[in-house]
Amino acid sequence: MKRPLKPDEVKVWGLVASTVRALPGRSVPKTESVEPPPLIDPHAPAARVPPTKAKTAKAKPKSRTVLDDIEPNRRHRIARERDPVTAKLDLHGLDQYRAQQVLETFILRAWADGSRAVLVITGKGVQGDGILRRRAPEWLAAAHLVHVVAGVSHAARHHGGEGALYVALKRRPAK
């Protein structure tokens, strides 16, 4: 059962329908008349829009706060070891500042070596909410690792479960 269109939806549909031409031999269905949008006075103070910056030739890498999950099929292949985990890093016993440095160095070295998937063991922490477990995905989402890290996902139980992360790495560009 279809619901009736709301007045604002009718207006939007009228605007869209007014831009369409009928195929030869067909007629255009009648629609309700749509009021054109009100004209804006360019000299009114509220109508002024700040000028936009022109895009530069080289765009900065976007900073992310959260990484995307690994694609489900790829995660399954990593968990079943069809895509091998070529390197492992254990962060147990490190404070968060040292752990961040070690993790970033490890990821960059693994990517340079051609690895496509690595395992990072963070541990669960004392009560299951360890600082390394929470912060590692944030560190991997840093702007300088955007070109390296494709996604992050919790590891399968036999690889450490919630206390470990699969990190999918992007392919290195061909030289």
Side-chain angles (χ1 to χ4, degrees):
M1 181 170 151
K2 292 183 178 180
R3 67 171 174 81
L5 294 176
K6 295 177 184 174
D8 58 331
E9 293 172 332
V10 171
K11 287 180 183 179
V12 170
W13 177 251
L15 288 171
V16 171
S18 67
T19 64
V20 176
R21 293 182 306 175
L23 292 172
R26 302 227 177 166
S27 63
V28 178
K30 299 276 183 178
T31 60
E32 296 180 21
S33 63
V34 178
E35 301 170 8
L39 295 175
I40 298 174
D41 180 16
H43 301 293
R48 293 191 184 136
V49 178
T52 58
K53 295 181 180 178
K55 294 201 175 199
T56 60
K58 184 176 179 183
K60 288 184 179 179
K62 293 182 180 180
S63 63
R64 304 179 284 189
T65 56
V66 178
L67 275 171
D68 298 330
D69 285 339
I70 299 173
E71 301 94 20
N73 289 338
R74 186 170 181 194
R75 185 193 179 284
H76 185 74
R77 288 192 314 266
I78 294 169
R80 298 284 181 176
E81 297 180 2
R82 290 187 187 121
D83 281 355
V85 174
T86 53
K88 295 179 184 179
L89 173 68
D90 191 347
L91 297 175
H92 280 104
L94 300 176
D95 65 10
Q96 64 179 323
Y97 303 108
R98 180 73 181 132
Q100 181 179 7
Q101 294 170 349
V102 169
L103 176 64
E104 290 176 357
T105 304
F106 169 76
I107 293 295
L108 291 171
R109 182 171 297 134
W111 179 74
D113 291 343
S115 295
R116 298 278 288 134
V118 296
L119 181 67
V120 177
I121 301 166
T122 60
K124 293 182 182 178
V126 177
Q127 296 178 343
D129 63 344
I131 189 75
L132 299 181
R133 180 179 174 216
R134 280 185 283 136
R135 299 289 309 272
E138 295 173 16
W139 298 334
L140 293 167
H144 63 280
L145 295 176
V146 169
H147 70 284
V148 175
V149 179
V152 174
S153 184
H154 287 290
R157 188 172 184 181
H158 66 277
H159 280 137
E162 297 289 316
L165 299 171
Y166 292 134
V167 180
L169 301 177
K170 295 180 180 178
R171 286 196 170 113
R172 288 187 56 201
K175 291 183 179 180

